[in-house]
Amino acid sequence: MQGDGNGRPRLDVSKSLLQWAMNRSGKSVDELSRNSSLGKLHEWMTGTRKPTMVQLEAFARATYTPFGHLLLSEPPPDTPSPIPHFRTISDNKPAARSIDLEDTIKILEYRQEWIRDYLIDIGVKPLEFVGSCNVHDDPVKISKEIKTALGLAPNWAAVHSKWDVAQKHLVAMAENARIFVSKNSMVQNNTSRPLDPEEFRGLVLVDEYAPFVFINGADVPGAQMFTLAHELVHVWMGESASFDLRDLAPRPDVELEVTCNRVAAEFLVPADTLLRLWDEFTAHSDDPYRAASDYFKVSRIVAARRALDTGCILQKDFDAFYTKYKLKYNASKVQKSKKRGGPTPDLMAPHRVGSKFLQTVFTAVAERKILYTDAYYLTGLKSESFDKARDKMYGEVD
């Protein structure tokens, strides 16, 4: 260990460990060197200079690496999540996941492990619908079974004023059935780690006591309803996965994904009804997707995708619509990003963590079944944000 001339020790860190951390984070030496604390990173890599403790801590934060791992003699083995990652367009190579997706999965796995033990401890029974269907079952039959289990009427969406209201109702009914739903656009509350919807739009961790579904909140809002429906079907199939659902389409060579998409589409927009009404939608509206959206209470993008799947429109029609839709959404996102500030972690907790999970943690704390420090770690909230989120949620209940 060397000193830096000011009494601060410098640490011996191997180039292989530094390179390993950068490879995991997807960041280059040049990119990291823009950080004032990491300006000498090039010299660390050549061995002409060694980092101080403070500098190495900054490097660990910038590469999302546990500090202790950088003090090892060699990089630890990577242990990616065993759940499959399905990409719509396959190049027959293993689908590598980014560290942001891997960390998101690990966070959800940790929460699931805790709440599973908690539920078993208080005597809760397993959910009978988890894994109750298979890819050979009729999509219409599966759709009806999901609606029945969630307490949804056959035309459940029709009573709602808009598709986003219907989506909130679907989330609430799923959580009432003990399916834990969360949505986030970043890793925990870290705004410097946005999740890429082109990599994944959703993921599912199936468990007979506590199935978890996660929606990538960075995706266009209109597509999130379909992602949620697709994830619910995974629960009934009993299969965990992450997936990109590019253009709302499944990976075509994976029967599970094709089936989940068919059921999700039937769940949201029954084929027989759409085919019966499509001529009416086109005859009385210059925007048939809007007319279908209003009728089925789904977004225009879901209506357009379903019109393609049922043969009402051609692929080129859908591609033109989807491209325009995404451009409009991305433009609105740029405008919003120019505004300073945003919702605080306590306000976003019911979405980012999930209302059902959050309520269970609050209950466990109140019953002294869990320490506050553990509750903060489980929710990703600091003490003040945790208290505010709890007060807000209990106030809504009251």
Side-chain angles (χ1 to χ4, degrees), residues 223-365:
Q224 294 172 21
M225 178 74 136
F226 193 88
T227 297
L228 175 57
H230 182 100
E231 292 173 320
L232 291 175
V233 185
H234 266 272
V235 174
W236 262 255
M237 294 291 172
E239 297 285 348
S240 300
S242 58
F243 35 79
D244 64 8
L245 286 181
R246 188 173 303 182
D247 297 343
L248 302 190
R251 179 165 166 175
D253 60 337
V254 178
E255 189 175 17
L256 170 65
E257 284 299 278
V258 172
T259 299
C260 286
N261 245 46
R262 285 175 177 168
V263 177
E266 182 65 27
F267 178 85
L268 295 173
V269 183
D272 59 350
T273 307
L274 178 62
L275 290 169
R276 176 169 52 84
L277 295 175
W278 185 251
D279 287 343
E280 182 179 334
F281 293 153
T282 56
H284 297 88
S285 173
D286 56 358
D287 186 351
Y289 309 131
R290 173 67 67 191
S293 168
D294 292 342
Y295 184 89
F296 292 104
K297 300 304 186 299
V298 296
S299 67
R300 291 169 69 232
I301 193 170
V302 171
R305 179 70 223 189
R306 191 58 168 148
L308 172 64
D309 293 338
T310 54
C312 294
I313 63 172
L314 300 176
Q315 183 69 52
K316 64 180 181 64
D317 299 319
F318 176 79
D319 291 343
F321 168 79
Y322 193 44
T323 299
K324 184 177 180 181
Y325 189 98
K326 287 197 293 185
L327 286 173
K328 183 177 180 180
Y329 172 70
N330 290 334
S332 68
K333 241 192 353 179
V334 170
Q335 287 299 113
K336 289 179 181 178
S337 68
K338 293 179 180 179
K339 299 179 181 179
R340 292 186 176 182
T344 55
D346 56 286
L347 292 176
M348 294 303 297
H351 302 286
R352 292 176 180 171
V353 182
S355 294
K356 182 75 172 179
F357 184 84
L358 207 55
Q359 288 172 348
T360 307
V361 172
F362 291 154
T363 299
V365 168

